[in-house]
């Protein structure tokens, strides 16, 4: 693809870091359907859901350990070379290692706690850093925007639950990073948004129902729908700069908070 071809897309390039059947998949589909050239990065880009996105929507797949600075730098270099400089970057990585779930502060393995922070907050730093470096070189669009960076976050960014210290630490760190970046970059034309999802996320299963591996099957919209989360992300990207939102908390209508 030539540089002129890269520059003629109406919506530009979107990069989603973190690949799975929930938010990342929904974002990839919606962004592609909206005219963007879309890339998805994951440690395992051979996941069936990512292969399906490539076949159905032309989504480019990339292998990347987002907690590795060199791998992240290479990812952005590859995306720029293949499809152009991103104008929308979504960091959608939970980061928890399985062994840290539901561990009290005295039970939590320090190595797993550090890995959780590295996978989540540190990877968000690396992705945000590379995205900002590139976006500052983008020409402002009609809205005066050079790009948008969205960080998916969780309930733990708003409240530290018991037996979840490592994840609370990681989520609070990501919120602090996003807030610092927003104050630094928004005056330079880069919209930064932190989006805590205060809910279980139920994505569509093969039988057509929406379900969560622990919370069961969605009943009466009691779980967040990733397709509608994706719509919120796209709306954030398209917001007028006079009303850029920084933190948008999403939760179902019946969620207790």
């Amino acid at each position: 693809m030539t540089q002129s071809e890269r520059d003629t897309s109406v919506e530009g390039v979107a990069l989603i870091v973190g690949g799975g059947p929930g938010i990342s998949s929904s974002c990839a589909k919606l962004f592609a359907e909206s005219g963007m050239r879309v890339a998805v990065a994951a440690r395992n880009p051979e996941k069936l859901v990512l292969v399906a996105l490539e076949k159905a929507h032309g989504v480019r797949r990339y292998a990347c350990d987002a907690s590795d600075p060199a791998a992240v730098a290479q990812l952005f270099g590859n995306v720029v070379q293949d499809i152009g400089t991103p104008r929308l970057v979504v960091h959608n990585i939970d980061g928890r290692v399985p062994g840290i779930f539901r561990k009290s502060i005295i039970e939590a393995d320090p190595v797993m706690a550090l890995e959780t922070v590295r996978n989540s907050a540190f990877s968000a730093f690396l992705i945000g850093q590379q995205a900002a470096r590139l976006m500052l070189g983008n020409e402002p669009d009609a809205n005066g925007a050079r790009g948008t960076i969205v960080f998916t976050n969780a309930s733990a960014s708003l409240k530290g639950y018991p037996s979840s210290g490592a994840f609370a630490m990681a989520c609070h760190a990501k919120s602090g990073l996003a807030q610092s970046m927003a104050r630094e970059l928004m005056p330079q034309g880069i919209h930064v948004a932190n989006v805590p999802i205060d809910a279980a996320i139920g994505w569509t299963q093969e039988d057509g129902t929406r379900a969560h591996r622990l919370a069961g099957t969605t009943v009466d919209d009691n779980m967040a729908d990733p397709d509608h989360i994706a719509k919120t992300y796209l709306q954030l990207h398209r917001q007028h700069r006079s009303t850029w939102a920084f933190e948008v908390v999403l939760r179902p209508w019946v969620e207790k908070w």
Side-chain angles (χ1 to χ4, degrees), residues 16-232:
I16 302 158
V17 183
I23 295 174
S24 292
S25 177
S26 292
C27 283
K29 287 186 288 187
L30 179 62
F31 298 167
E33 289 167 355
S34 299
M36 294 183 179
R37 298 187 298 280
V38 181
V40 177
R43 283 179 173 170
N44 175 18
E46 300 304 320
K47 293 178 182 177
L48 292 179
V49 64
L50 301 184
V51 173
L53 285 170
E54 180 182 59
K55 291 179 179 178
H57 300 279
V59 173
R60 301 291 291 259
R61 296 178 289 131
Y62 295 86
C64 180
D65 177 354
S67 68
D68 180 338
V72 171
Q74 182 177 11
L75 166 67
F76 277 83
N78 289 341
V79 170
V80 171
Q81 180 178 349
D82 293 343
I83 59 175
T85 302
R87 282 191 173 266
L88 172 57
V89 171
V90 176
H91 179 274
N92 184 50
I93 298 175
D94 179 297
R96 282 175 289 186
V97 296
I100 205 69
F101 280 87
R102 298 188 179 85
K103 291 294 190 297
S104 70
I105 193 63
I106 61 174
E107 295 174 313
D109 182 338
V111 174
M112 291 183 180
L114 182 58
E115 189 176 354
T116 296
V117 173
R118 182 180 178 89
N119 288 343
S120 178
F122 184 60
S123 75
F125 168 82
L126 296 176
I127 296 300
Q129 182 181 62
Q130 290 294 332
R133 283 175 174 167
L134 288 173
M135 288 179 182
L136 285 172
N138 285 339
E139 287 296 320
D141 63 14
N143 185 37
R146 299 179 189 274
T148 306
I149 303 170
V150 178
F151 295 103
T152 301
N153 219 322
S155 308
S157 68
L158 307 170
K159 48 194 174 186
Y161 290 92
S163 300
S164 188
F167 191 51
M169 179 168 58
C171 291
H172 276 67
K174 192 188 290 189
S175 289
L177 167 70
Q179 188 173 120
S180 175
M181 287 178 58
R183 287 178 163 146
E184 178 180 343
L185 296 173
M186 284 169 66
Q188 299 181 72
I190 298 176
H191 185 187
V192 179
N194 182 48
V195 186
I197 312 296
D198 188 20
I201 299 172
W203 58 79
T204 303
Q205 311 295 303
E206 290 184 1
D207 63 1
T209 63
R210 287 197 304 110
H212 184 274
R213 66 184 184 282
L214 297 177
T217 301
T218 302
V219 178
D220 202 18
D221 298 317
N222 67 320
M223 294 185 206
D225 185 334
D227 287 348
H228 290 287
I229 294 172
K231 290 178 183 177
T232 299

